[in-house]
Amino acid sequence: MADDHDPTQDDSLFPAPSLLPYERWLNEASRSVMLNALEHVSREGLAGEHHFYLTFLTDFPGVDIPARLRAQYPHEMTIVLQHQFWDLKVDRKAKTVSVGLSFGGVGSILVIPVQAITGFADPAIRFSLHFAAMEPTEEPTPEEPTTGQPEQDGPEESDSSSQVVSLDAFRKKGPSPA
């Protein structure tokens, strides 16, 4: 007996592309779970053995961390909220998380846009969330080209350590509008 709803029928290995943004909705819902946990801890403190690992992109626009940390972690950093942190705040309107931490005995306040956060974990209960990288919501500045074409006249110089790769070519697209 054939199953008319079998997605692997006709050697199809992948389901049909969705016209609904499920991936974005799941990403937003997961970020909301993380923000709820951070807000709870900012009000009530950490209970029991709970503690958080928060991974974020240090080179994301709007990340405010000391220059020495940015130099040490130029792309990504993981912080631990466990015993010694202070002023944990979630600002949903500004879409930021801020927290005070000590690095090498020097206290610092870190301000992290929610979009820059790529991971959240509570190892005490083996709970973790991973988030898709999100595009910054800031408008391009006037000196940035908006056409995607380089503005320079001379030969292009290549710096492989700072290249930006667009993943659009690898993403599944829905049917083209007719």
Side-chain angles (χ1 to χ4, degrees):
M1 179 171 182
D3 181 1
D4 293 337
H5 302 289
D6 182 0
T8 60
Q9 198 168 324
D10 300 322
D11 296 325
S12 174
L13 298 177
F14 300 101
S18 175
L19 299 177
L20 298 175
Y22 288 115
E23 189 172 324
R24 180 175 53 87
W25 291 341
L26 286 169
N27 199 32
E28 289 171 1
S30 294
R31 286 180 191 275
S32 183
V33 168
M34 173 198 62
L35 293 176
N36 289 342
L38 292 171
E39 285 174 330
H40 179 84
V41 167
S42 73
R43 289 186 313 269
E44 308 292 329
L46 284 168
E49 298 297 315
H50 290 279
H51 59 288
F52 301 147
Y53 289 178
L54 203 59
T55 302
F56 62 97
L57 303 174
T58 57
D59 54 357
F60 194 90
V63 170
D64 186 8
I65 60 175
R68 63 185 162 68
L69 293 177
R70 191 176 307 275
Q72 190 173 358
Y73 303 97
H75 303 295
E76 186 174 70
M77 180 178 187
T78 298
I79 57 174
V80 180
L81 305 181
Q82 188 170 14
H83 299 297
Q84 296 180 351
F85 65 92
W86 60 92
D87 291 338
L88 175 61
K89 294 180 185 135
V90 174
D91 185 338
R92 288 191 187 245
K93 186 175 180 182
K95 298 179 182 175
T96 60
V97 173
S98 61
V99 64
L101 289 168
S102 187
F103 298 91
V106 179
S108 303
I109 299 291
L110 284 65
V111 180
I112 308 161
V114 172
Q115 292 175 308
I117 300 171
T118 59
F120 171 82
D122 184 345
I125 60 167
R126 296 184 181 179
F127 178 77
S128 67
L129 297 169
H130 299 276
F131 311 113
M134 295 181 72
E135 296 293 322
T137 56
E138 297 177 1
E139 294 296 318
T141 57
E143 57 271 0
E144 292 178 345
T146 55
T147 61
Q149 300 296 324
E151 291 184 351
Q152 59 199 36
D153 293 331
E156 291 186 29
E157 293 182 26
S158 175
D159 179 6
S160 63
S161 66
S162 64
Q163 288 184 342
V164 176
V165 178
S166 174
L167 298 179
D168 290 337
F170 301 101
R171 291 192 177 119
K172 289 183 90 175
K173 303 266 193 242
S176 300

